[in-house]
Amino acid sequence: MNPAAPTPAGSAPLSPLIHLIDDDAAVRDSLALLIGTVGLRVQTWADPMAFIDGFDRQGIGAIVLDVRMPGISGLTVLDTLAAQGVDQPVIMLTGHGTVEMCRRAFKSGAAEFLEKPVNDEQLLEALQNAVRQHVRSRERHQADRRARERYAHLSEREREVLGLIVAGLTNKEIGRALDLSPRTVETHRANLFAKLEAESLAQLIRHYAALVETP
Amino acid sequence: MARQWKAFRWWILAWVALTLAGAVAIARLELAQLKDAFETNARIMHRLLSQRVVQHDAILATLALLQPGPDGPADAAPEQRLPALYPQILSAQRRDREAAWSDPAMASAEATSRQLRRANLADLDFASGRYQLVLAAQPASYALTIDLRAMVPWAEWPLEPASSPVRVVLEHSGQQFVLQPGRLAPGGWRFEFHKHLAADSQAFDVVATQTVGWAELPWGRMALWALVLAAVLAWARHGLRQRAERSRAEELLRLGQVARLNTLGELAAGMAHELNQPLTAVMASAQAARRLLDDDPPELDTARQAMAQAVEQARRASDVVGRLRRAIERPDLSGQTQALDLVEAVRRALYLLEPECQRRGVAPVIEAPQPVTVLAEPVALEQIIHNLLMNALQALEHAPADRRLTLTVDANGSSGRLQVADTGPGIAPEVLSRIFEPFFSTRTGGLGLGLSLCETLATNMGGALTAAPNESHGALFTLTLPCQPQTP
């Protein structure tokens, strides 16, 4: 029930943190205790505005948000998070959910919509799914970012060669297209694989095809 | 108030405008009729006078034609008998062949007569009311002296000369003779008639004049019109207002029902939230405790803490329920009761439900042999009757035919009784015992609060509400209310 200390940005990506926002202290404490039983760390927030201003956006985890709160609706908080590009999955909790409310929540990007009082298995499973999903999406993003960084180190000629490799041309064809000797193409190709840390042609294409196609 | 006055002002304006238009029409009609009568009378007078002057010409011509010849007896003077026959002829003169008129004016008139070959005026003295007419003839010429007033055939005269408002004057060469003075007044309307008499010898101008003053307009009829109009407008306004009031009353009733439903919805939402929070906490704590106890080794301290929290939150939930009950607890109605006519209350409820009855083809029957006065709180009584009637009408929807709704009001010693009997499907025996339980409903989507509320209200007013099967089929609800203050 002691809110875990926020982790420094990106330092412990595999220690997920759940943000729990509810204006009711008893609900906060009991849900935090329940979530804690599966080994997830929980940080509780009574004030949605304080949460928006203060939570760690870099950390891995998920957000549990009550729909009905004084001052600001949970749906508004959800919209704000989406507008700010927050990528942590959001699980909405509500006392009496209408179809319309549910529809709006999913439209605004909620990962899950659960009714109070909430079933423990449902909540915990939803949280674990959300965290898994978030970890995967972060990993994907990270891989993308790294690929982009490596791609930035390529020379103009190397990029041209990469584009033609991705297009499926042989060394000979590339040499003809760029007016280079097959030997020079071979050198560029070796440099490419080294700079992009690719071990096979398949890996090269999988990670870098998107970058070449949208220069 | 200001709005009311504004609306009233339009009615007044409409009344004034219509009154004015009607009054003008009435006045014009009256004036047209007066003018018509005036002109008819003037033409009659002109014709009567014309006949007379033509007669004078004829008399002179006859004298000239029948005059005795030169051999005839000189003393034969038929013209001297004329004044006896015709009252307007004052005297008749004859100028024999060798004789001369004593008056030179006569001679000149005779000369003109000879020239014109017809009778001619010799002397005109309207001031003394007479004139002389000469006809030149051979051998003797004749003259008549005629009295103007005696000339008028008063027996046939269309007007009463002394009292008639019409002034009639004969005019000739600047002289005037007043036949009847009339009453001319300045202002108002003026009718005039000018026409020369139909004899060239005595072409006097008949001038008739009549004035109609403001005071002579048909004020009585105009006032009557204004009154009738005021009455019609007042009646129309009353009708419109009554209709508006009735539709307003229906609107209010509908709004009241909607508001009640909204309040109920809000209450349910608030209740759900207020209860859901502690219930969520209880459930989460209990589930956490179970998981902690399942751990190996069990985390007993934390589990104990979680259970304490669950108990705490369960108590909070029970507090919410208690608070809710106190909030919606109705005040004791027994202190606010007043004497009410039960039959009248039933009639009013039926009036408001008239469209509902018509929609279902139900004609409710009230059986009330005598007036019954009960002690009740007006709004509560209205709500009970309304709910009982609505229930009966909804039950009758399921009756294929023979839809009867009978309302019996009677008194039994110290209490008044209203029985609502319908011929709907009735109440199943297993349902009958639970029918007044809150949240018990046989209707899908029914809240199950109506009858429960009615029963509570009736009990709070010192009465009772019971349900039983109707004699043949259907349901019978009996509302009993005290007739006189109950001694505590």
Side-chain angles (χ1 to χ4, degrees):
Chain A
M1 280 148 294
N2 293 328
T7 44
S11 72
L14 293 177
S15 166
L17 177 65
I18 308 297
H19 295 279
L20 173 61
I21 305 108
D22 195 305
D23 61 306
D24 192 306
V27 172
R28 274 201 313 269
D29 291 351
S30 54
L31 282 178
L33 183 62
L34 179 62
I35 294 168
T37 60
V38 290
L40 290 166
R41 293 182 307 136
V42 183
Q43 184 173 12
T44 57
W45 304 81
D47 178 10
M49 293 317 290
F51 160 72
I52 289 176
D53 291 343
F55 88 104
D56 169 24
R57 282 152 208 248
Q58 305 304 318
I60 289 288
I63 297 164
V64 178
L65 188 57
D66 187 21
V67 170
R68 182 160 167 161
M69 279 178 294
I72 182 166
S73 148
L75 290 171
T76 314
V77 175
L78 183 63
D79 287 339
T80 311
L81 293 178
Q84 294 182 355
V86 170
D87 66 345
Q88 274 104 329
V90 179
I91 293 170
M92 303 294 291
L93 294 184
T94 178
H96 58 299
T98 60
V99 174
E100 170 60 19
M101 199 187 274
C102 188
R103 196 185 63 79
R104 253 200 72 187
F106 280 124
K107 218 178 151 188
S108 302
E112 194 62 78
F113 192 85
L114 299 175
E115 271 206 71
K116 280 183 180 177
V118 65
N119 183 292
D120 57 345
E121 280 170 14
Q122 245 183 341
L123 174 67
L124 297 174
E125 198 188 310
L127 274 174
Q128 280 162 337
N129 278 342
V131 168
R132 256 198 304 278
Q133 184 197 331
H134 191 221
V135 167
R136 261 205 307 276
S137 111
R138 275 289 168 89
E139 278 171 358
R140 210 168 31 246
H141 271 100
Q142 211 151 27
D144 277 0
R145 203 183 62 229
R146 265 191 231 121
R148 208 161 298 149
E149 279 167 12
R150 288 191 204 113
Y151 184 76
H153 289 130
L154 297 185
S155 70
E156 195 59 39
R157 182 58 88 187
E158 282 163 354
R159 283 184 199 179
E160 280 175 352
V161 173
L162 175 62
L164 295 172
I165 292 172
V166 168
L169 272 64
T170 62
N171 281 358
K172 225 180 251 176
E173 287 166 333
I174 293 171
R176 219 174 295 137
L178 298 178
D179 202 12
L180 296 171
S181 72
R183 233 191 127 71
T184 319
V185 174
E186 195 58 52
T187 313
H188 284 312
R189 193 179 168 115
N191 285 345
L192 258 172
F193 271 73
K195 278 184 178 174
L196 298 179
E197 295 173 26
E199 278 151 23
S200 67
L201 182 60
Q203 205 185 17
L204 184 87
I205 290 173
R206 189 166 76 236
H207 286 152
Y208 298 97
L211 294 175
V212 173
E213 268 160 18
T214 54
Chain B
M1 191 65 213
R3 216 170 58 97
Q4 241 175 12
W5 165 241
K6 208 168 170 186
F8 187 63
R9 214 170 51 184
W10 283 110
W11 285 98
I12 292 283
L13 269 176
W15 176 73
V16 168
L18 286 173
T19 299
L20 278 179
V24 166
I26 289 172
R28 285 175 74 118
L29 194 72
E30 174 74 6
L31 286 171
Q33 277 173 354
L34 282 175
K35 187 164 190 212
D36 237 33
F38 164 80
E39 280 177 351
T40 307
N41 287 333
R43 275 197 301 275
I44 291 171
M45 293 185 287
H46 176 265
R47 181 167 48 78
L48 290 172
L49 291 171
S50 292
Q51 282 169 358
R52 282 302 158 96
V53 292
V54 167
Q55 198 177 37
H56 300 154
D57 275 354
I59 290 168
L60 279 174
T62 311
L63 283 176
L65 205 64
L66 300 182
Q67 61 180 292
D71 316 327
D75 60 335
E79 73 276 6
Q80 294 310 321
R81 294 210 301 278
L82 286 172
L85 288 171
Y86 300 97
Q88 73 268 36
I89 300 181
L90 296 173
S91 62
Q93 293 98 45
R94 188 180 68 194
R95 181 195 59 77
D96 289 322
R97 195 203 303 255
E98 276 77 32
W101 296 101
S102 54
D103 186 347
M106 292 289 271
S108 134
E110 189 194 336
T112 312
S113 164
R114 197 174 302 283
Q115 204 177 0
L116 293 173
R117 296 173 167 279
R118 61 163 172 79
N120 190 28
L121 284 175
D123 180 29
L124 191 69
D125 186 6
F126 276 2
S128 56
R130 58 186 58 183
Y131 68 91
Q132 274 188 319
L133 197 59
V134 176
L135 178 66
Q138 289 295 341
S141 293
Y142 292 91
L144 297 175
T145 305
I146 295 165
D147 184 279
L148 277 165
R149 194 159 297 280
M151 184 181 94
V152 180
W154 294 113
E156 296 164 59
W157 203 242
L159 297 172
E160 185 58 48
S163 61
S164 166
V166 183
R167 179 179 176 86
V168 185
V169 175
L170 288 178
E171 284 182 2
H172 197 269
S173 43
Q175 296 194 54
Q176 276 197 339
F177 181 76
V178 178
L179 286 175
Q180 57 177 56
R183 284 190 312 276
L184 294 192
W189 292 263
R190 191 177 177 92
F191 310 142
E192 287 199 28
F193 177 91
H194 278 268
K195 200 166 182 186
H196 292 281
L197 289 180
D200 291 339
S201 57
Q202 304 144 78
F204 307 143
D205 201 0
V206 179
V207 180
T209 316
Q210 182 178 5
T211 57
V212 179
W214 284 96
E216 288 165 81
L217 288 178
W219 293 111
R221 258 183 292 160
M222 293 189 210
L224 189 68
W225 161 248
L227 282 178
V228 167
L229 198 63
V232 168
L233 285 178
W235 179 75
R237 179 164 174 260
H238 179 70
L240 283 177
R241 276 178 68 150
Q242 221 171 24
R243 232 176 59 181
E245 254 160 44
R246 184 173 166 163
S247 70
R248 191 159 51 225
E250 281 164 7
E251 185 71 1
L252 277 179
L253 185 77
R254 208 177 55 76
L255 273 181
Q257 284 165 347
V258 171
R260 219 175 300 164
L261 277 179
N262 281 345
T263 312
L264 211 57
E266 196 52 40
L267 191 74
M271 200 165 86
H273 183 72
E274 284 292 298
L275 281 177
N276 252 328
Q277 293 295 80
L279 284 180
T280 305
V282 167
M283 221 163 130
S285 296
Q287 285 163 340
R290 195 179 60 195
R291 284 168 179 276
L292 291 166
L293 291 174
D294 284 348
D295 275 358
D296 193 21
E299 281 193 46
L300 288 178
D301 277 351
T302 321
R304 206 170 280 129
Q305 208 178 337
M307 286 319 292
Q309 198 175 23
V311 170
E312 177 67 26
Q313 290 305 307
R315 188 170 295 126
R316 176 179 158 205
S318 114
D319 284 350
V320 168
V321 173
R323 212 165 57 230
L324 190 75
R325 265 177 72 156
R326 277 196 300 282
I328 61 171
E329 207 160 73
R330 282 169 293 277
D332 185 14
L333 291 173
S334 60
Q336 296 165 31
T337 56
Q338 47 182 276
L340 294 171
D341 184 346
L342 187 53
V343 183
E344 180 54 34
V346 170
R347 287 229 168 82
R348 203 170 45 240
L350 269 182
Y351 170 77
L352 289 172
L353 285 174
E354 218 173 73
E356 301 283 331
C357 293
Q358 276 169 4
R359 206 152 51 77
R360 296 173 174 85
V362 177
V365 178
I366 304 182
E367 283 175 6
Q370 75 217 48
V372 175
T373 306
V374 292
L375 286 167
E377 200 276 325
V379 179
L381 179 60
E382 188 184 342
Q383 196 161 13
I384 295 174
I385 299 176
H386 185 89
N387 278 0
L388 290 182
L389 290 177
M390 273 314 290
N391 266 354
L393 286 172
Q394 277 159 359
L396 284 172
E397 270 177 17
H398 303 292
D402 184 32
R403 294 182 172 178
R404 273 178 294 134
L405 173 57
T406 313
L407 304 155
T408 316
V409 180
D410 54 15
N412 166 28
S414 63
S415 62
R417 194 169 65 159
L418 164 66
Q419 291 193 303
V420 180
D422 66 68
T423 56
I427 309 162
E430 67 272 18
V431 169
L432 196 57
S433 57
R434 302 188 58 198
I435 198 155
F436 293 118
E437 276 178 27
F439 300 111
F440 177 81
S441 180
T442 54
R443 275 205 314 273
T444 47
L447 271 173
L449 284 174
L451 281 174
S452 148
L453 175 66
C454 288
E455 206 235 354
T456 312
L457 289 173
T459 312
N460 283 356
M461 293 189 290
L465 180 62
T466 59
N470 198 4
E471 275 164 22
S472 49
H473 58 292
L476 172 69
F477 284 88
T478 306
L479 170 69
T480 321
L481 286 168
C483 280
Q484 57 231 351
Q486 287 188 320
T487 44

